[in-house]
Amino acid sequence: MSRELSKESMGFLHQLKLYLMSDGKNEHEIEEIIEELSDHLQMAESQGKSVHHIIGQSPKEYMAQIAAEMNYDKKAWIKFIVTIIFGVFSYTILTRSVEGNLSFSLINAAGLTAIVAFLIWAVFFMFKYIAANNPSKAKEYLLFFLFSLVSFALFIALILIDQRVESPTISFNGPGTIIISIITFAFLLWISIWSKTWTVLIFLSFLIVPDIVLKQTSMDINTQISLSTTITLGGIAVYLFVVNKKNKAT
């Protein structure tokens, strides 16, 4: 009969998985390593030994050692990055379609791609840091706050630059907007089915619905933008918190 692992061992396995995923390792190989290490930890604990008997006194070094022995899953990384970038463009297309202004300037398209690529790297770097260093909850919240602040600042900067610098623009009107919106929504639905999660559509709802609802009110535009941003970031943060708690519980 298998013995349940201690909270310390379960916590380390969770951190190791987060570290390896953030380092771009193959998901199947990660699961195999986690399962194998779980067996070792279970055996050690049944003999009255702690997690440090297996991993040593430095979890960070142990994680780095495991990661160094694994290959990067380049195919999965490229697929993931391309999917995220297209996903962000899909969101932009749908929000602008709702606003009735579906157009892209060269600066906007290039800037959006660069910002998203940077934020993807920042997210993985942040999760890898958290997994390796196990900071306090206060530091974790500070990291997430700083990430949100930097993200917001970058997108605001892009909007301001796009408004002040002229560049070639592609615009769609009428039937073209409808067709592109349908194709975009179908793409997002495919991503959700392919990834076996509704996270993309849930995020999209948090990003679009507040704008649509607030536009029906008599609030001034600045209040609408501030409130919409707060609802969006707050909703996404709560969703991620719930998902994280659920993952830890399993």
Side-chain angles (χ1 to χ4, degrees), residues 18-207:
L18 180 61
Y19 183 94
L20 295 176
M21 289 180 70
S22 302
D23 202 40
K25 307 308 182 184
N26 181 272
E27 187 176 356
H28 179 67
E29 289 182 17
I30 292 173
E31 292 298 337
E32 287 183 343
I33 286 173
I34 295 297
E35 187 176 345
E36 183 180 345
L37 184 56
S38 177
D39 291 337
H40 288 312
L41 289 171
Q42 202 169 70
M43 187 178 298
E45 288 185 354
S46 68
Q47 298 170 359
K49 299 171 182 175
S50 71
V51 63
H52 295 291
H53 178 78
I54 300 293
I55 68 171
Q57 293 301 314
S58 175
K60 183 177 180 179
E61 289 181 9
Y62 183 83
M63 291 179 189
Q65 182 183 343
I66 293 291
E69 294 172 358
M70 299 173 67
N71 295 322
Y72 284 100
D73 194 350
K74 293 179 183 177
K75 232 182 232 185
W77 260 83
I78 292 171
K79 188 189 290 186
F80 174 79
I81 292 171
V82 170
T83 300
I84 292 295
I85 290 174
F86 272 103
V88 171
F89 272 104
S90 297
Y91 151 70
T92 307
I93 288 170
L94 289 176
T95 51
R96 292 184 183 181
S97 296
V98 170
E99 294 169 355
N101 179 32
L102 182 54
S103 63
F104 281 98
S105 69
L106 181 61
I107 286 177
N108 186 259
L112 194 58
T113 303
I115 289 172
V116 172
F118 168 75
L119 292 179
I120 290 171
W121 172 82
V123 165
F124 279 96
F125 177 83
M126 184 170 62
F127 282 147
K128 187 176 177 181
Y129 172 83
I130 290 172
N133 296 278
N134 195 23
S136 65
K137 287 297 177 186
K139 286 185 178 179
E140 275 192 41
Y141 293 141
L142 178 61
L143 282 172
F144 285 117
F145 172 74
L146 290 175
F147 174 78
S148 300
L149 195 63
V150 170
S151 303
F152 184 70
L154 287 173
F155 284 116
I156 292 298
L158 178 60
I159 291 171
L160 293 175
I161 292 171
D162 192 33
Q163 290 174 345
R164 286 166 173 71
V165 180
E166 289 188 12
S167 63
T169 303
I170 300 176
S171 300
F172 300 90
N173 295 303
T177 299
I178 296 172
I179 292 169
I180 289 174
S181 297
I182 291 172
I183 292 172
T184 299
F185 183 77
F187 172 73
L188 291 175
L189 188 61
W190 172 80
I191 289 178
S192 298
I193 295 170
W194 169 69
S195 61
K196 297 179 182 178
T197 175
W198 297 106
T199 298
V200 173
L201 292 180
I202 290 171
F203 272 36
L204 185 65
S205 299
F206 280 128
L207 291 163

Side-chain angles (χ1 to χ4, degrees), residues 203-224:
F203 272 36
L204 185 65
S205 299
F206 280 128
L207 291 163
I208 291 180
V209 173
D211 278 343
I212 296 174
V213 172
L214 291 172
K215 282 185 191 312
Q216 311 307 313
T217 69
S218 57
M219 298 178 186
D220 64 84
I221 187 65
N222 290 328
T223 303
Q224 286 184 27

